[in-house]
Amino acid sequence: MKGCDYYKPETVGDASRLMASLDGARYIAGGTDVMVLIKQKKLSPAHLISLRNIRELSLLDTSDGLSIGSGVTHSRIVRDAWIRDRYSALVDATQKIGSPQVRNVATVAGNICNAAPSADTACPLLVLDAKIRIAGKKGERIVAIEDFFLGPNRTILEQGEIVTAIAIPKLDENSGSAYIKHTRRKAMELPLVGIAARITLDAADRAPGWKESLRNAPNAEALPGMLEAAGIVCRDVRIAMGVVSPKPMRARKAEAALEGKVVSEALLDEIGALAASESQPRDSFRGEAWYRKDMVQVLVRRAVLMSIERIVNA
Amino acid sequence: MKKEIEFMLNEEKVIVEVEPHWTLLHLLRETLELTGAKEGCGVGECGACTVIVEGDAVNSCLYPVMEIEGKTVTTIEGLAKPDGTLHPLQQSFIENNGVQCGYCTSGMIMSAKALLDKNADPTENEIRTSISGNICRCTGYVQIVESIKHAAGSMKNTQAAQNGK
């Protein structure tokens, strides 16, 4: 690694000013991507501007939905029981990223700024309707996560801009979410396919105790039949897919097919097939396209059921 | 251009000159001659370079040295007592054959220590998760998991004996 200067600004403003005044500078947060790129000589910044010492970026604010400062590490999300209960899909993703050593320093914001097609937190943030707060020369702008990614390792961030926080709205009480990372081994792995889902069960005109009665499902496979019998409608359906296109994407046709409907075996098969038809995976050394498509079909069904299980067990 | 930084290393204050682009691993091995932390892959995949910073296991090969200013760092060299008595984890790795070639061992022990410092009574699953970022190509992990289990047990017994006094 060639010599480069290292700056530790303590405010976002100072960081931006440094970036504007230095040639060939690069921001660094957890560094688990940037340091690797430098070591692999894919990046040779003349200056590194660390975002790790900016206190405002390390805030986790739960006063209105959830705001994750861009300095918040995966480990902090994993340890947070409040987040686990409300935004389960995000915890599913953060607890499987890299290794404990990586999760202790890598940030959620860094994961999306790096914008790998396999970024684990992208799918959960897509189904949770996250908004990205960005500070730049012209002030602040807020962008929906869906508009944030442009392609592999490319985002809408312009030169010098800093992601300051990821804002996730408050969800309906009867909402649940899940993220399934499909991997060949249990740890230290990138997903072959990643699928996130979020569902709200419409509890209007439900008698008290409706959740309890569904809790008695002997297994997940029995759940669709019980939901169908109970006639409970799904709302605010979100399904997102990772590693099946140049950037993480929503499965809009699958979402539309489930919106306002009662879950049934037939409908689960249908939305799985729709999501698979929307996916455009490619062959890579990690896995072949046909297999990824097949797994989309399987995992969309599983992620939807997992989300619903979490609602009834909450 | 060298810069002077100050931090706590194995319970001693260290003031040292570093190049700003160094990693923590570089400082430890090349300047401070603490070669317990190894460079395996150098890109955060193998965990051989694991040390503890502010209570958390990290890959020192990816940790910018400038970020340790004012922080507390523990390496494998800081585990044994000054009189040479080994840390229960070190003792347990020896007794339970948790070591073969030894290259991963420092990192394994540091990951395990980060776990046991926070969770004195971990499940097997928690132990396995704690070393999921440490690759061993010799043992197949069974003896390593056993070593950590036994260490947790002996540390608990020591603690109980002390509390009983």
Side-chain angles (χ1 to χ4, degrees):
Chain A
M1 177 166 161
K2 276 220 300 284
C4 75
D5 263 331
Y6 199 95
Y7 300 84
K8 295 164 77 177
E10 291 179 5
T11 66
V12 173
D14 284 352
S16 305
R17 277 186 286 280
L18 271 170
M19 181 56 90
S21 68
L22 298 168
D23 267 346
R26 172 93 190 197
Y27 291 125
I28 180 169
T32 54
D33 286 314
V34 170
M35 293 295 282
V36 171
L37 291 173
I38 291 172
K39 287 188 161 200
Q40 294 172 338
K41 300 191 174 12
K42 290 176 183 162
L43 202 67
S44 47
H47 313 274
L48 285 172
I49 301 171
S50 168
L51 303 176
R52 264 153 110 143
N53 304 281
I54 302 175
R55 193 164 297 168
E56 64 181 288
L57 298 183
S58 69
L59 297 176
L60 257 181
D61 181 2
T62 56
S63 58
D64 178 23
L66 172 65
S67 171
I68 303 168
S70 57
V72 173
T73 61
H74 293 94
S75 291
R76 278 181 67 195
I77 302 287
V78 173
R79 282 197 291 264
D80 196 309
W82 189 92
I83 297 176
R84 179 182 300 272
D85 288 346
R86 286 162 184 80
Y87 304 102
S88 322
L90 186 61
V91 176
D92 291 337
T94 49
Q95 71 185 1
K96 286 282 179 72
I97 277 195
S99 63
Q101 292 94 317
V102 167
R103 295 193 286 273
N104 283 337
V105 291
T107 63
V108 177
N111 188 232
I112 63 162
C113 288
N114 192 49
S118 57
D120 279 306
T121 60
C123 289
L125 293 174
L126 275 165
V127 300
L128 295 170
D129 292 342
K131 297 224 173 354
I132 314 302
R133 302 177 78 109
I134 301 165
K137 274 180 295 209
K138 289 166 266 175
E140 187 183 56
R141 59 177 177 141
I142 298 176
V143 176
I145 179 87
E146 210 179 349
D147 302 324
F148 184 77
F149 301 110
L150 293 178
N153 305 108
R154 290 196 308 122
T155 69
I156 52 125
L157 284 177
E158 287 169 19
Q159 170 64 23
E161 282 189 317
I162 299 174
V163 170
T164 54
I166 300 166
I168 304 177
K170 202 174 165 186
L171 300 186
D172 185 280
E173 187 192 348
N174 293 308
S175 299
S177 65
Y179 170 69
I180 299 174
K181 174 176 183 166
H182 188 56
T183 55
R184 292 165 301 177
R185 47 174 198 248
K186 284 186 180 169
M188 287 301 293
E189 180 71 301
L190 297 175
L192 273 159
V193 172
I195 301 287
R198 167 195 149 197
I199 307 285
T200 300
L201 289 182
D202 191 340
D205 55 76
R206 285 284 135 200
W210 66 273
K211 270 191 199 177
E212 286 74 10
S213 64
L214 288 168
R215 245 172 247 172
N216 301 329
N219 52 53
E221 289 309 303
L223 198 57
M226 293 174 76
L227 286 163
E228 195 176 359
I232 301 175
V233 166
C234 294
R235 305 262 181 225
D236 296 332
V237 178
R238 302 277 188 284
I239 295 166
M241 314 186 278
V243 214
V244 301
S245 68
K247 54 182 188 174
M249 64 179 286
R250 293 257 300 269
R252 297 229 176 233
K253 286 181 193 162
E255 290 176 0
L258 184 56
E259 186 69 39
K261 304 269 178 50
V262 176
V263 165
S264 67
E265 282 290 350
L267 192 50
L268 284 170
D269 285 346
E270 187 192 328
I271 60 168
L274 279 170
S277 76
E278 291 176 84
S279 70
Q280 313 135 32
R282 54 183 198 128
D283 292 332
S284 81
F285 74 95
R286 277 180 211 289
E288 289 177 58
W290 68 265
Y291 177 72
R292 289 189 156 120
K293 249 182 163 52
D294 276 6
M295 288 306 103
V296 168
Q297 164 116 31
V298 172
L299 297 176
V300 161
R301 169 200 169 89
R302 213 173 279 172
V304 165
L305 281 178
M306 225 164 119
S307 305
I308 293 173
E309 269 188 297
R310 284 173 170 170
I311 302 169
V312 302
N313 289 321
Chain B
M1 197 181 59
K2 289 217 170 184
K3 290 194 174 154
E4 193 176 89
I5 59 165
E6 183 182 320
F7 67 107
M8 291 298 290
L9 175 62
N10 298 330
E11 297 182 357
E12 277 180 41
K13 184 154 87 174
V14 174
I15 300 172
V16 64
E17 282 201 327
V18 299
E19 290 284 352
H21 67 272
W22 284 358
T23 62
L24 172 54
L25 181 66
H26 184 95
L27 170 67
L28 292 173
R29 291 183 60 87
E30 308 298 331
T31 301
L32 302 176
E33 299 188 353
L34 296 176
T35 54
K38 309 292 184 217
E39 178 153 36
C41 66
V43 289
E45 305 266 1
C46 78
C49 67
T50 303
V51 302
I52 298 179
V53 176
E54 296 287 307
D56 289 326
V58 303
N59 294 313
S60 62
C61 75
L62 296 181
Y63 207 95
V65 76
M66 295 300 287
E67 297 290 349
I68 61 165
E69 171 81 45
K71 294 205 168 82
T72 301
V73 178
T74 308
T75 70
I76 189 76
E77 289 86 354
L79 260 55
K81 291 195 182 130
D83 68 3
T85 311
L86 295 180
H87 185 279
L89 273 164
Q90 293 172 309
Q91 193 61 41
S92 183
F93 268 67
I94 294 169
E95 287 169 6
N96 294 286
N97 304 309
V99 183
Q100 282 187 34
C101 88
Y103 204 83
C104 74
T105 310
S106 310
M108 285 286 180
I109 290 179
M110 296 316 288
S111 287
K113 183 175 190 299
L115 168 73
L116 297 184
D117 286 349
K118 291 194 180 90
N119 177 358
D121 193 14
T123 62
E124 171 154 344
N125 205 12
E126 286 167 335
I127 291 173
R128 287 182 175 273
T129 301
S130 78
I131 56 164
S132 59
N134 295 80
I135 290 177
C136 168
R137 297 289 80 160
C138 308
T139 68
Y141 303 100
V142 174
Q143 303 310 120
I144 292 172
V145 172
E146 285 301 309
S147 301
I148 299 170
K149 257 192 225 169
H150 281 272
S154 74
M155 285 163 78
K156 248 187 1 190
N157 290 340
T158 312
Q159 191 65 41
Q162 276 170 358
N163 291 345
K165 268 181 203 158

